[in-house]
Amino acid sequence: MEWQPDEQGLQQVLQLLKDSQSPNTATQRAVQQVSSSYEPTRSLSGLILKNNVKAHYQNFPAAVADFIKQECLNNIGDPSPLIRATIGILITTISSKGELQTWPELLPQLCNLLNSEDYNTCEGSFGALQKICEDSSELLDSDALNRPLNIMIPKFLQFFKHCSPKIRSHAIACVNQFIIGRAQALMDNIDTFIESLFALAADEDSEVRKNVCRALVMLLEVRIDRLIPHMHSIIQYMLQRTQDPDENVSLEACEFWLTLAEQPICKEVLSGHLVQLIPILVNGMKYSEIDIILLKGDVEEDEAVPDSEQDIKPRFHKSRTVTLQHEGGEGEEGEDIDEDDDDDDDTLSDWNLRKCSAAALDVLANVFRDELLPHLLPLLKGLLFHPDWVIKESGILVLGAIAEGCMQGMVPYLPELIPHLIQCLCDKKALVRSIACWTLSRYAHWVVSQPPDSHLKPLMTELLKRILDGNKRVQEAACSAFATLEEEACTELVPYLSFILDTLVFAFGKYQHKNLLILYDAIGTLADSVGHHLNQPEYIQKLMPPLIAKWNELKDEDKDLFPLLECLSSVATALQSGFLPYCEPVYQRCVTLVQKTLAQAMMYNQHPDQYEAPDKDFMIVALDLLSGLAEGLGGSVEQLVARSNIMTLLFQCMQDPMPEVRQSSFALLGDLTKACFPHVKPCIAEFMPILGLNLNPEFISVCNNATWAIGEIAMQMGSDMQPYVGLVLNNLVEIINRPNTPKTLLENTAITIGRLGYVCPQEVAPMLQQFIRPWCTSKIKSHSGCLFCFSSSTPSCSSCPSLSHYVPYSRFNLREGYWETHPSVLLHCPYRGGERRATAIGLAVAPVQSDYKPRNPVCLWVGGRVSGRENWGEKLWISNAKLQSNDTVSTETTGIL
């Protein structure tokens, strides 16, 4: 049946059109009332047009595009604020499609319309200009448009005095877009701008005050020189605005303290104002009524309520970064880990006054240290023991915020405060229990430094109870806090492993989706912290069944695999041979994940219009778990490797365009080299050129792992490494000579150069002068002033395998800049007490001279027999180490190369 319009609706529209032509005022007013109800429809039409412009503007016929542009400008002064805003969005969308250059009349016409006596036209034009300034600030300050800011900035400044607060707010917001970029037109008018801001400081409109605060915060960062003469007045103003009744204003003002804390003048200009500022920040750290509603603060038990998908943040896997093995054989997983120190309310995701106040107090505590405490301690006691839970909770947050900066000054109070905080873990209010978890985690380092029974055991016991709390927010906070405690306590937790595992395993059956992901992290951190102590049949039987059950439950495309794979990687490394009964299915699934992702990537590259790009995080976490298996199982992984095509897949992964894939690939290559080199060796000729190409410090973690893998391969290849030294040595020397090279990369580069020199001295020796000084200094920095003991008779050292098997040479005196022969030195070791005679070890160029009397050199490493026994890799602290006047040269003295 053919479509027919509704007869009644059609007649209403026809009558409305007829009445709109009537000269009668009453009839016109009635028409206006009816038509005003179509305002949302008009706005929606504009937004649909905007989406079409965004997606298909390049396909619009020129006449259509010109018509849209002209209609936008014709209607910019529509009586409806909603329609004016919609037109502004449409104009901005068109200009973002490259049309600022091909719409030359837009900016001049909008600027001219600012002079209109009609408020709607002026406001609509300013609204459009503000959106253009937000989206195209760099382009507006470029020669491509003949620098229109030279006209626009002075024009905007004129409207700072406009009678309409809305126009004043638009004008400030437009100029604010160009502060961080230091637009020249603004810098030329900077004094006028600042004076105009000061004139608006007490404006009655909250939006104007907010934009004034925002401007001053940004100016503090980029033109502090212009603010310094007025700093006292600005601080007084910001103290007032941080207490503004409008939270949007107070939040912008609170940002000022965060930015000021980063400035060198902070301590000087703010010291006299702390007595006013600290109470203001503390007051801002209380939950507002709306916060409590959003956080469901009145809900105490919600563990049975399933999580909604929006409750769960997307997870992104962090690829594995390999460092050298430190004493005890524990590897460090990189040093640039992003510590998640959010104070608490993650689900209240918006940045608010509470979070900003806490962050400001945190950074100021790091600036003023214990000088902050006289202003804070009198407030804290009243807060921490207050009967109102909201105030008590804010006091616990304050205590956590100052933990890092004021730790030394807080130590005398902690024996009393820590038991109180532990008691707060049992508070009847869930939000108090959750913030107590976080604050206690901030003091975990001190807790672990005390006798275990005094604080560690009570804290651990109560945190484990909170892990099983009936409130999901408390579960999350307790799990995160316990992971922090695990990192600090390490093997101190070994006596309690059975109790800990009982709790964590019980949580598997209790947790909803979101907290289950956090539980994986707590288990992985426990494995990292206690290491091989977890490899006991009793513990394995408790831990592995629920993990493997989850592993079997998840599909290959489920992103919950990410945290589970990370967890299993840590567990496999810790369990070592204890993981053998579970290793084959885990290994095979990881290989399958890598293979499937590579296949999907190939199909996408060949037919991007037919296939979606794969999520390569699945491949990255699989590679990292394979690394964990190789590291944990050692030689036992050989049979798994022999029955798979992992070396072929690894060759493809090492050439992937995504840096994170290559990073994890090189980590796996190094671990397989150590665990089952016979399977790696046939591929070395293909792998080494790829490793050489990835010695690019632009991708620090990729470069680091490639460097580490080369060193591991060198130790396995021995003199057979000779054909490949030329592929990598020049790049390694370039890296070690680069200024500001990150510590881990510098350390691995130095060790790999040392290993290459050990196995192929003839190939490395000609480059000696190019790397000797940074090589020496990198080793000193990386070992933080410690001496490592070696001997020429040791096959290797667990800490620095590259520094073994030496030949007699001399060393370089870093302080005075000359080469010396190795003396036998007498060391005073304050760490162990008493004196030790050992042999100084350094790098080589001159022969040993038996009659040489040394000056007082910088000692790089020492080695030999200490107190009649071998001391390989023993760490000696050397604050008092020096050469004695009766030192003689030892003929057993050794050096590298």
Side-chain angles (χ1 to χ4, degrees):
M1 181 178 176
E2 193 177 63
W3 175 82
Q4 295 288 333
D6 177 72
E7 186 64 28
Q8 183 180 357
L10 178 61
Q11 290 302 319
Q12 286 179 339
V13 172
L14 291 173
Q15 185 61 44
L16 186 65
L17 292 172
K18 182 180 177 181
D19 290 345
S20 69
Q21 306 302 312
S22 171
N24 184 278
T25 304
T27 303
Q28 287 287 345
R29 187 175 295 116
V31 169
Q32 188 174 2
Q33 287 176 349
V34 173
S35 61
S36 66
S37 65
Y38 294 113
E39 186 179 299
T41 304
R42 292 175 64 204
S43 175
L44 179 60
S45 299
L47 294 176
I48 292 171
L49 178 57
K50 182 265 296 183
N51 289 336
N52 275 280
V53 166
K54 194 171 183 180
H56 308 294
Y57 187 75
Q58 67 276 9
N59 299 325
F60 283 15
V64 173
D66 291 340
F67 176 78
I68 294 171
K69 292 177 185 177
Q70 192 56 51
E71 286 302 302
C72 283
L73 291 173
N74 290 344
N75 291 278
I76 197 71
D78 192 277
S80 164
L82 178 60
I83 300 305
R84 293 198 301 271
T86 304
I87 292 170
I89 292 170
L90 184 53
I91 288 174
T92 310
T93 305
I94 294 172
S95 63
S96 71
K97 305 300 288 186
E99 288 297 302
L100 273 179
Q101 291 95 322
T102 58
W103 195 358
E105 68 272 20
L106 174 63
L107 293 176
Q109 195 162 343
L110 287 175
C111 285
N112 287 333
L113 289 173
L114 296 179
N115 298 323
S116 173
E117 294 184 1
D118 176 58
Y119 167 80
N120 292 335
T121 301
C122 179
E123 195 278 329
S125 301
F126 243 132
L129 282 166
Q130 181 178 336
K131 293 178 179 70
I132 292 170
C133 290
E134 289 172 359
D135 290 352
S136 308
S137 58
E138 291 185 12
L139 184 59
L140 292 171
D141 193 32
S142 69
D143 291 328
L145 297 178
N146 200 22
R147 299 197 175 272
L149 286 188
N150 292 334
I151 297 170
M152 293 168 67
I153 294 291
K155 185 86 173 178
F156 294 153
L157 291 173
Q158 294 173 15
F159 285 86
F160 277 39
K161 298 178 182 179
H162 197 276
C163 60
S164 164
K166 182 74 170 176
I167 301 297
R168 295 197 299 273
S169 178
H170 275 316
I172 304 168
C174 284
V175 178
N176 282 357
Q177 298 303 319
F178 305 100
I179 297 175
I180 296 298
R182 299 172 182 260
Q184 190 56 50
L186 178 56
M187 295 301 105
D188 292 342
N189 293 274
I190 194 69
D191 291 328
T192 304
F193 177 45
I194 292 173
E195 289 170 11
S196 301
L197 288 174
F198 289 166
L200 292 172
D203 197 281
E204 62 186 21
D205 184 77
S206 61
E207 194 68 20
V208 172
R209 296 196 304 274
K210 183 185 83 171
N211 283 327
V212 168
C213 290
R214 183 174 294 174
L216 290 172
V217 170
M218 289 189 286
L219 286 168
L220 185 64
E221 186 174 339
V222 301
R223 288 307 303 264
I224 193 172
D225 58 309
R226 286 295 197 269
L227 298 186
I228 286 176
H230 315 284
M231 191 56 74
H232 176 78
S233 300
I234 292 172
I235 288 174
Q236 287 297 321
Y237 174 69
M238 286 300 187
L239 286 168
Q240 294 175 22
R241 294 284 71 82
T242 308
Q243 303 172 83
D244 197 283
D246 187 312
E247 185 170 330
N248 291 319
V249 178
S250 58
L251 177 57
E252 287 295 339
C254 196
E255 295 277 0
F256 179 84
W257 314 115
L258 281 171
T259 306
L260 182 59
E262 298 173 358
Q263 307 303 318
I265 64 164
C266 177
K267 207 164 186 179
E268 176 188 346
V269 300
L270 199 55
S271 292
H273 302 277
L274 289 179
V275 66
Q276 297 169 274
L277 174 60
I278 298 306
I280 293 171
L281 291 179
V282 168
N283 189 58
M285 292 166 71
K286 290 186 296 188
Y287 277 125
S288 66
E289 290 183 10
I290 189 66
D291 289 341
I292 296 172
I293 293 170
L294 290 172
L295 290 167
K296 302 175 182 176
D298 57 336
V299 177
E300 290 304 315
E301 290 201 10
D302 60 355
E303 65 176 349
V305 180
D307 294 329
S308 62
E309 286 304 311
Q310 55 263 37
D311 288 339
I312 302 165
K313 292 181 180 179
R315 291 184 66 93
F316 302 98
H317 176 67
K318 188 175 182 66
S319 299
R320 195 165 186 257
T321 302
V322 187
T323 68
L324 82 166
Q325 298 247 310
H326 293 278
E327 58 178 335
E330 300 292 337
E332 292 184 359
E333 292 292 316
E335 67 211 74
D336 57 345
I337 295 170
D338 183 20
E339 294 293 339
D340 183 10
D341 261 350
D342 288 346
D343 51 68
D344 49 354
D345 29 287
D346 284 339
T347 57
L348 190 63
S349 56
D350 292 337
W351 184 242
N352 57 21
L353 182 62
R354 167 187 165 87
K355 290 186 175 183
C356 191
S357 299
L361 187 62
D362 188 345
V363 296
L364 289 172
N366 279 282
V367 172
F368 288 93
R369 300 289 175 180
D370 296 344
E371 296 174 34
L372 213 62
L373 293 180
H375 307 286
L376 198 56
L377 288 176
L379 300 172
L380 257 181
K381 187 169 184 179
L383 296 172
L384 289 172
F385 298 93
H386 201 281
D388 185 338
W389 76 265
V390 174
I391 297 175
K392 176 182 179 180
E393 193 275 348
S394 71
I396 298 172
L397 174 58
V398 169
L399 192 58
I402 63 170
E404 183 180 339
C406 301
M407 178 63 77
Q408 188 173 350
M410 288 301 299
V411 165
Y413 307 97
L414 291 181
E416 179 184 349
L417 285 174
I418 295 300
H420 176 67
L421 289 173
I422 293 173
Q423 189 177 352
C424 289
L425 291 174
C426 303
D427 195 274
K428 65 179 183 178
K429 280 292 179 181
L431 290 175
V432 174
R433 299 198 299 276
S434 66
I435 197 62
C437 290
W438 177 76
T439 295
L440 281 161
S441 74
R442 300 272 282 179
Y443 291 94
H445 182 76
W446 181 85
V447 168
V448 171
S449 71
Q450 306 302 302
D453 287 341
S454 58
H455 300 295
L456 175 60
K457 194 172 179 180
L459 172 58
M460 181 191 65
T461 302
E462 289 304 317
L463 275 181
L464 289 172
K465 289 179 183 177
R466 296 287 67 79
I467 284 175
L468 301 179
D469 198 277
N471 182 275
K472 292 192 289 187
R473 172 174 301 280
V474 179
Q475 293 172 359
E476 177 185 359
C479 244
S480 297
F482 195 74
T484 302
L485 185 65
E486 288 169 343
E487 290 174 339
E488 293 291 345
C490 294
T491 53
E492 294 283 340
L493 297 179
V494 170
Y496 317 107
L497 269 177
S498 183
F499 181 38
I500 293 169
L501 289 172
D502 285 341
T503 303
L504 297 181
V505 168
F506 189 80
F508 267 109
K510 188 180 180 74
Y511 278 10
Q512 298 295 333
H513 189 184
K514 177 185 176 184
N515 287 349
L516 195 58
L517 307 183
I518 299 167
L519 180 62
Y520 293 147
D521 180 62
I523 292 172
T525 305
L526 178 67
D528 290 336
S529 300
V530 302
H532 65 88
H533 296 284
L534 200 59
N535 187 11
Q536 298 292 331
E538 174 196 355
Y539 304 150
I540 295 171
Q541 188 54 42
K542 288 182 178 184
L543 180 60
M544 289 309 299
L547 283 177
I548 294 299
K550 291 295 181 184
W551 168 265
N552 293 328
E553 189 179 301
L554 296 175
K555 297 180 179 179
D556 285 352
E557 58 274 10
D558 194 328
K559 291 192 176 182
D560 284 1
L561 271 178
F562 296 168
L564 181 55
L565 282 163
E566 291 170 355
C567 173
L568 281 172
S569 178
S570 296
V571 170
T573 304
L575 292 186
Q576 300 174 352
S577 60
F579 198 79
L580 275 172
Y582 311 95
C583 66
E584 186 160 0
V586 172
Y587 179 91
Q588 292 300 339
R589 189 173 188 183
C590 287
V591 172
T592 300
L593 283 170
V594 173
Q595 192 162 315
K596 284 175 64 173
T597 309
L598 287 172
Q600 290 168 359
M602 182 181 297
M603 289 188 293
Y604 171 75
N605 291 333
Q606 293 173 352
H607 306 286
D609 53 333
Q610 298 178 27
Y611 297 96
E612 290 187 4
D615 186 344
K616 291 187 178 179
D617 271 358
F618 287 102
M619 179 162 62
I620 294 168
V621 293
L623 290 168
D624 288 347
L625 178 47
L626 289 171
S627 285
L629 288 172
E631 185 178 351
L633 299 178
S636 299
V637 82
E638 189 273 336
Q639 290 185 356
L640 297 172
V641 173
R643 294 197 298 267
S644 72
N645 62 338
I646 187 61
M647 301 313 300
T648 303
L649 299 176
L650 191 56
F651 180 67
Q652 297 177 57
C653 293
M654 288 166 59
Q655 300 173 81
D656 194 274
M658 187 174 182
E660 292 81 1
V661 175
R662 302 198 304 277
Q663 176 182 335
S664 293
S665 302
F666 297 140
L668 176 56
L669 174 60
D671 283 318
L672 290 176
T673 297
K674 294 165 65 178
C676 53
F677 186 65
H679 293 284
V680 177
K681 189 172 183 179
C683 308
I684 292 299
E686 292 178 310
F687 286 178
M688 287 306 301
I690 300 173
L691 288 166
L693 288 173
N694 280 275
L695 296 177
N696 176 9
E698 181 182 349
F699 301 102
I700 291 172
S701 295
V702 178
C703 182
N704 177 80
N705 286 6
T707 302
W708 174 77
I710 291 167
E712 294 296 338
I713 290 170
M715 295 305 289
Q716 297 289 340
M717 292 283 285
S719 60
D720 291 342
M721 191 71 179
Q722 181 268 331
Y724 309 109
V725 172
L727 293 174
V728 299
L729 185 58
N730 285 331
N731 288 337
L732 292 170
V733 171
E734 184 179 334
I735 292 166
I736 205 169
N737 280 285
R738 279 171 60 100
N740 303 317
T741 301
K743 171 182 172 286
T744 300
L745 177 55
L746 192 67
E747 191 173 64
N748 274 331
T749 303
I751 291 206
T752 297
I753 290 174
R755 288 177 165 183
L756 290 172
Y758 164 53
V759 298
C760 299
Q762 298 302 321
E763 284 69 29
V764 176
M767 299 284 288
L768 184 65
Q769 294 295 336
Q770 297 181 43
F771 68 78
I772 183 63
R773 181 180 288 272
W775 194 95
C776 291
T777 56
S778 73
K779 295 307 295 179
I780 286 178
K781 288 177 184 174
S782 67
H783 290 303
S784 305
C786 298
L787 297 181
F788 286 84
C789 298
F790 307 98
S791 166
S792 58
S793 62
T794 44
S796 66
C797 165
S798 63
S799 296
C800 293
S802 61
L803 298 178
S804 57
H805 288 306
Y806 302 92
V807 294
Y809 281 135
S810 65
R811 60 158 175 216
F812 189 73
N813 185 312
L814 294 172
R815 188 182 63 201
E816 300 184 27
Y818 62 89
W819 291 94
E820 293 190 304
T821 310
H822 299 289
S824 176
V825 298
L826 195 65
L827 290 177
H828 176 71
C829 177
Y831 178 66
R832 291 183 177 275
E835 293 180 336
R836 307 283 189 268
R837 181 168 292 280
T839 305
I841 293 181
L843 282 169
V845 292
V848 172
Q849 302 171 17
S850 60
D851 58 350
Y852 180 72
K853 281 286 183 181
R855 282 172 277 174
N856 192 21
V858 176
C859 192
L860 303 184
W861 299 280
V862 296
R865 292 185 176 275
V866 181
S867 300
R869 61 186 178 85
E870 306 285 347
N871 282 262
W872 317 136
E874 178 177 293
K875 185 181 289 187
L876 299 176
W877 305 96
I878 56 164
S879 57
N880 296 324
K882 61 181 180 179
L883 290 173
Q884 305 297 316
S885 58
N886 63 344
D887 287 336
T888 59
V889 174
S890 165
T891 56
E892 297 178 13
T893 301
T894 57
I896 194 170
L897 298 182

